[in-house]
């Protein structure tokens, strides 16, 4: 089965600056690294798996938060977690294969969250948004990096 990746949001569709956030990723043989909003968080061309991530608005935004989930090697889909919590594993050598992010709170309808992944054997996925699943299931492909941004609609 080949990967079906859709890019519902183009790069130039949104030009407004992303809300400030910290993007923590846990990378194979490196550990935790922190990036900023709209930065590529991970690696390309190093065959290094992303094992988990954590997102946090910095500073926190009253009335706006995030939830995210992941699809993990030999586990499958895990529960949605709230902003500021880690999703994935540390110390288990388990690859993250896909994920989704959605906004919550009374201000959520005024914003969109957009995200993409760099996938093993595929490359950059294109943009997904507002709870759409990004990545693969059942293909044993590692996510090697992610990019996340939250923009006003």
């Amino acid at each position: 089965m080949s990967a079906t990746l859709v890019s519902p949001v183009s790069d130039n569709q949104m030009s407004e600056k992303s809300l400030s956030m910290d993007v923590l990723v846990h990378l194979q043989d490196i550990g935790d690294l922190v990036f900023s909003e709209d930065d590529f968080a991970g690696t390309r061309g190093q065959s290094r798996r992303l094992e988990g991530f954590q997102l946090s608005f910095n500073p926190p935004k009253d009335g706006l938060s995030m939830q995210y989930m992941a699809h993990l090697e030999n586990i499958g889909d895990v529960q949605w977690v709230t902003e500021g919590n880690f999703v994935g594993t540390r110390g288990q050598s388990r690859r993250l294969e896909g994920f989704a992010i959605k906004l919550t709170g009374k201000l959520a309808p005024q914003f969109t969250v957009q995200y993409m992944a760099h996938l093993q054997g595929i490359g950059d996925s294109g943009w997904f948004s507002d709870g759409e699943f990004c990545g693969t299931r059942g293909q044993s492909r590692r996510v090697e990096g992610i990019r996340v941004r939250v923009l006003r609609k």
Side-chain angles (χ1 to χ4, degrees), residues 78-145:
V78 298
Q79 296 285 331
W80 290 86
V81 300
T82 303
E83 172 187 352
N85 290 293
F86 184 80
V87 66
T89 61
R90 290 183 174 103
Q92 295 183 28
S93 300
R94 193 180 303 274
R95 71 181 162 265
L96 185 131
E97 298 177 348
F99 65 99
I101 306 168
K102 62 185 177 183
L103 297 174
T104 61
K106 66 182 179 185
L107 297 180
Q110 298 174 31
F111 293 87
T112 185
V113 59
Q114 300 173 350
Y115 42 93
M116 56 81 68
H118 185 79
L119 301 168
Q120 172 189 0
I122 295 175
D124 290 351
S125 66
W127 290 101
F128 291 79
S129 62
D130 302 319
E132 296 175 314
F133 184 79
C134 175
T136 61
R137 290 182 173 105
Q139 296 183 29
S140 300
R141 288 185 196 275
R142 69 182 166 265
V143 171
E144 297 178 353

Side-chain angles (χ1 to χ4, degrees), residues 7 28 30 72 77 90 107:
S7 184
Q28 172 187 358
I30 294 176
L72 302 173
D77 289 356
R90 290 183 174 103
L107 297 180

Side-chain angles (χ1 to χ4, degrees), residues 14-19 38 111 149-153:
M14 297 281 190
S15 57
E16 189 177 333
K17 181 168 171 24
S18 181
L19 293 181
D38 213 10
F111 293 87
R149 60 190 181 193
V150 176
L151 302 162
R152 185 174 293 280
K153 288 184 178 176

